[in-house]
Amino acid sequence: MSPDTLELTRPPRPPRRLTLAIGLFEGLIEVQSALRDLSNHGFGLERVRLVASTESNTFDQFGRAPGEGRGFYRIDTAPDVDPADCIQEILQEAVPLPRTGLLAGIPSPPASLAAFAMSGLERQAHNLKQHLTAGGGIVIVRVDDASEQQAVCSMLLHYASRGVQTHQLRIDEDAA
C-alpha cells in the first residue's frame, strides 16, 4: 500500500451536550430559598433562570430584593400555544449557556431546540406548560457534570413543589 492511497480520517467529534435541571415551583418563597441554597453552595446565579407565564402574578415580587431579577423570563402560555413551542421559547430565551469551556459562546441552535421539543418529550412539554399556565414557575439550572447534577437536583427537590426534571440537549455545532 503506497502512502498516496491512504486516507487519514479523523474520528467524528462527540457532540457537545448541555444538561439542564428544571425545578417546578409554585411560590416565590420556595424559589428564593432554592436560589439562596444554590448560591450558598457555589452555583453562580448566571447559570440559573426563572421562567413564569406572562399571565401569572405569583412572581411579580421577584426582583424587588437586591440581586434578584436577573435571569427572570416570562413566556406566553395561552391555550392556543403548542406546548412544544412553549418549551422552545423557554430554551431560546432562558437557557443559561456557559461563558467558558467547551460550550462557550455557542448560541442555542434552533435545530437542537426543535429536536428537543419533538423527540418524544411531548408529555414533559405538556407538564411544563400546564405548570406555567397554573401560575407556577420553573427554575432552570445548567449543570456541567454528574456530581453537579446530583447536588443541584437535591437542592431543587428540597423546595420544588412539583418535582425536578433533567434534560440533556445535544448542541449541533454545524447549526450554531
Short mmCIF file of all heavy atoms in Angstrom, two decimals, residues 89-114:
data_model
loop_
_atom_site.label_atom_id
_atom_site.label_comp_id
_atom_site.label_asym_id
_atom_site.label_seq_id
_atom_site.Cartn_x
_atom_site.Cartn_y
_atom_site.Cartn_z
N GLU A 89 -39.55 28.17 23.30
CA GLU A 89 -39.37 29.54 23.76
C GLU A 89 -38.59 29.59 25.06
O GLU A 89 -37.71 30.44 25.25
CB GLU A 89 -40.73 30.24 23.93
CG GLU A 89 -40.58 31.70 24.29
CD GLU A 89 -41.92 32.41 24.41
OE1 GLU A 89 -42.95 31.86 23.99
OE2 GLU A 89 -41.91 33.53 24.93
N ILE A 90 -38.89 28.66 25.98
CA ILE A 90 -38.14 28.60 27.24
C ILE A 90 -36.66 28.43 26.94
O ILE A 90 -35.81 29.15 27.49
CB ILE A 90 -38.63 27.43 28.12
CG1 ILE A 90 -40.02 27.73 28.70
CG2 ILE A 90 -37.63 27.15 29.26
CD1 ILE A 90 -40.65 26.54 29.40
N LEU A 91 -36.34 27.51 26.06
CA LEU A 91 -34.94 27.24 25.77
C LEU A 91 -34.26 28.39 25.04
O LEU A 91 -33.13 28.75 25.34
CB LEU A 91 -34.81 25.94 24.97
CG LEU A 91 -35.20 24.70 25.75
CD1 LEU A 91 -35.22 23.48 24.84
CD2 LEU A 91 -34.27 24.48 26.92
N GLN A 92 -34.95 29.00 24.09
CA GLN A 92 -34.35 30.11 23.35
C GLN A 92 -34.13 31.31 24.25
O GLN A 92 -33.13 32.01 24.12
CB GLN A 92 -35.23 30.51 22.17
CG GLN A 92 -35.14 29.54 21.03
CD GLN A 92 -36.10 29.91 19.91
OE1 GLN A 92 -37.17 30.45 20.13
NE2 GLN A 92 -35.70 29.58 18.70
N GLU A 93 -35.05 31.57 25.15
CA GLU A 93 -34.97 32.76 25.98
C GLU A 93 -34.17 32.55 27.26
O GLU A 93 -33.59 33.48 27.78
CB GLU A 93 -36.38 33.24 26.36
CG GLU A 93 -37.22 33.67 25.19
CD GLU A 93 -36.65 34.88 24.47
OE1 GLU A 93 -36.06 35.75 25.14
OE2 GLU A 93 -36.79 34.95 23.24
N ALA A 94 -34.18 31.33 27.78
CA ALA A 94 -33.72 31.18 29.15
C ALA A 94 -32.59 30.21 29.40
O ALA A 94 -32.15 30.09 30.52
CB ALA A 94 -34.91 30.77 30.03
N VAL A 95 -32.11 29.51 28.39
CA VAL A 95 -31.04 28.55 28.66
C VAL A 95 -29.76 29.30 29.02
O VAL A 95 -29.27 30.10 28.24
CB VAL A 95 -30.80 27.61 27.46
CG1 VAL A 95 -29.53 26.80 27.65
CG2 VAL A 95 -31.98 26.69 27.29
N PRO A 96 -29.23 29.05 30.21
CA PRO A 96 -28.01 29.73 30.64
C PRO A 96 -26.77 29.04 30.08
O PRO A 96 -26.26 28.11 30.64
CB PRO A 96 -28.06 29.61 32.17
CG PRO A 96 -28.88 28.39 32.43
CD PRO A 96 -29.83 28.25 31.27
N LEU A 97 -26.31 29.49 28.91
CA LEU A 97 -25.13 28.89 28.29
C LEU A 97 -23.87 29.38 28.98
O LEU A 97 -23.79 30.52 29.43
CB LEU A 97 -25.07 29.23 26.80
CG LEU A 97 -26.10 28.51 25.95
CD1 LEU A 97 -26.08 29.06 24.54
CD2 LEU A 97 -25.86 27.01 25.93
N PRO A 98 -22.85 28.52 29.06
CA PRO A 98 -21.61 28.90 29.73
C PRO A 98 -20.83 29.93 28.94
O PRO A 98 -20.94 30.01 27.72
CB PRO A 98 -20.85 27.58 29.82
CG PRO A 98 -21.40 26.75 28.74
CD PRO A 98 -22.83 27.16 28.56
N ARG A 99 -20.04 30.70 29.65
CA ARG A 99 -19.18 31.69 29.00
C ARG A 99 -17.77 31.17 28.79
O ARG A 99 -16.98 31.77 28.10
CB ARG A 99 -19.13 32.95 29.85
CG ARG A 99 -20.49 33.61 29.91
CD ARG A 99 -20.42 34.93 30.58
NE ARG A 99 -21.75 35.50 30.58
CZ ARG A 99 -22.17 36.38 31.43
NH1 ARG A 99 -21.37 36.83 32.35
NH2 ARG A 99 -23.39 36.84 31.37
N THR A 100 -17.43 30.06 29.46
CA THR A 100 -16.12 29.46 29.30
C THR A 100 -16.29 27.97 29.06
O THR A 100 -17.36 27.41 29.29
CB THR A 100 -15.26 29.67 30.56
OG1 THR A 100 -15.91 29.06 31.68
CG2 THR A 100 -15.03 31.15 30.84
N GLY A 101 -15.23 27.33 28.63
CA GLY A 101 -15.28 25.89 28.44
C GLY A 101 -15.78 25.50 27.06
O GLY A 101 -15.87 26.32 26.14
N LEU A 102 -16.12 24.23 26.92
CA LEU A 102 -16.47 23.68 25.62
C LEU A 102 -17.69 24.32 24.97
O LEU A 102 -17.78 24.39 23.75
CB LEU A 102 -16.73 22.17 25.74
CG LEU A 102 -15.51 21.31 26.04
CD1 LEU A 102 -15.94 19.87 26.27
CD2 LEU A 102 -14.50 21.40 24.91
N LEU A 103 -18.66 24.76 25.76
CA LEU A 103 -19.90 25.29 25.19
C LEU A 103 -19.90 26.82 25.11
O LEU A 103 -20.92 27.41 24.78
CB LEU A 103 -21.10 24.83 26.02
CG LEU A 103 -21.32 23.32 26.06
CD1 LEU A 103 -22.42 22.98 27.04
CD2 LEU A 103 -21.64 22.78 24.69
N ALA A 104 -18.78 27.45 25.40
CA ALA A 104 -18.73 28.91 25.45
C ALA A 104 -19.12 29.52 24.12
O ALA A 104 -18.64 29.11 23.07
CB ALA A 104 -17.33 29.37 25.84
N GLY A 105 -20.01 30.48 24.18
CA GLY A 105 -20.34 31.26 23.02
C GLY A 105 -21.21 30.59 21.98
O GLY A 105 -21.49 31.18 20.95
N ILE A 106 -21.63 29.37 22.21
CA ILE A 106 -22.48 28.70 21.23
C ILE A 106 -23.92 29.10 21.50
O ILE A 106 -24.44 28.87 22.58
CB ILE A 106 -22.35 27.18 21.31
CG1 ILE A 106 -20.93 26.77 20.94
CG2 ILE A 106 -23.35 26.49 20.40
CD1 ILE A 106 -20.69 25.29 21.05
N PRO A 107 -24.57 29.74 20.52
CA PRO A 107 -25.98 30.06 20.73
C PRO A 107 -26.82 28.79 20.72
O PRO A 107 -26.41 27.78 20.17
CB PRO A 107 -26.32 30.96 19.54
CG PRO A 107 -25.33 30.58 18.50
CD PRO A 107 -24.08 30.14 19.21
N SER A 108 -27.98 28.86 21.33
CA SER A 108 -28.88 27.70 21.30
C SER A 108 -29.39 27.53 19.88
O SER A 108 -30.14 28.36 19.40
CB SER A 108 -30.07 27.93 22.23
OG SER A 108 -29.63 28.12 23.53
N PRO A 109 -28.94 26.50 19.18
CA PRO A 109 -29.35 26.35 17.79
C PRO A 109 -30.79 25.90 17.66
O PRO A 109 -31.22 24.99 18.35
CB PRO A 109 -28.39 25.28 17.25
CG PRO A 109 -27.92 24.55 18.44
CD PRO A 109 -28.01 25.49 19.61
N PRO A 110 -31.56 26.52 16.77
CA PRO A 110 -32.96 26.16 16.60
C PRO A 110 -33.16 24.69 16.27
O PRO A 110 -34.11 24.09 16.71
CB PRO A 110 -33.42 27.06 15.45
CG PRO A 110 -32.47 28.20 15.45
CD PRO A 110 -31.17 27.65 15.95
N ALA A 111 -32.26 24.08 15.50
CA ALA A 111 -32.43 22.67 15.14
C ALA A 111 -32.41 21.80 16.39
O ALA A 111 -33.22 20.88 16.53
CB ALA A 111 -31.32 22.25 14.19
N SER A 112 -31.52 22.09 17.32
CA SER A 112 -31.46 21.30 18.54
C SER A 112 -32.70 21.53 19.40
O SER A 112 -33.20 20.61 20.04
CB SER A 112 -30.22 21.66 19.36
OG SER A 112 -29.06 21.25 18.67
N LEU A 113 -33.20 22.76 19.41
CA LEU A 113 -34.38 23.06 20.20
C LEU A 113 -35.59 22.33 19.65
O LEU A 113 -36.38 21.77 20.40
CB LEU A 113 -34.64 24.57 20.21
CG LEU A 113 -33.54 25.41 20.85
CD1 LEU A 113 -33.90 26.88 20.75
CD2 LEU A 113 -33.30 25.00 22.27
N ALA A 114 -35.72 22.34 18.33
CA ALA A 114 -36.85 21.64 17.72
C ALA A 114 -36.74 20.15 17.99
O ALA A 114 -37.74 19.49 18.29
CB ALA A 114 -36.89 21.91 16.22
#
